[in-house]
Amino acid sequence: MTATAAIAGYPRWREVLEARWRDRLSEVTELSLAFHDAAAAAPDRMLAQPESGLRRLMDEAISARKALADTDEALARLAAGRFGRCEQCAAAIPPGSLHRQPEERYCPRCADDGALAVTP
Ligand SMILES: [Zn+2]
């Protein structure tokens, strides 16, 4: 038993987040490599076409990087002892929300707040 194990759920959340981080990292790697391969083979003008597979690959790679960054930040909050607390009001985020989305950073009340409702 380490001192950090005293924080409820700490060891499990770290495992969950690290597993997600690894999954997201390989997704970023695969999408980025696929994009660069496709981009190297395609003419420049294809990048500007919204319907092209190249554009879709680029968008997917960007989303995957954002998701990886979200998990990274959740791991940083865990290390800092702020995981599971709302970043806006410091209220506890319900376990159900964290199970659905371990990267959740706001409690339901703040997440419903118009100012924060900018999730893509
Ligand atoms: Zn809140």
Side-chain angles (χ1 to χ4, degrees), residues 30-40 47 53-55 57-58 61:
E30 283 167 25
L31 284 168
S32 300
L33 289 174
F35 171 74
H36 289 301
D37 283 351
L47 259 186
L54 203 54
R55 177 58 183 264
L57 261 182
M58 185 173 70

Side-chain angles (χ1 to χ4, degrees), residues 73-91:
E73 286 169 18
L75 277 163
R77 289 196 295 278
L78 193 65
R82 289 184 286 107
F83 181 78
R85 292 269 158 198
C86 176
E87 293 202 335
Q88 180 86 351
C89 72

Side-chain angles (χ1 to χ4, degrees), residues 88-112:
Q88 180 86 351
C89 72
I93 298 170
S97 301
L98 289 173
H99 279 98
R100 277 190 303 276
Q101 182 69 26
E103 290 82 4
E104 183 60 65
R105 53 178 67 194
Y106 299 111
C107 71
R109 204 175 47 186
C110 291
D112 285 345

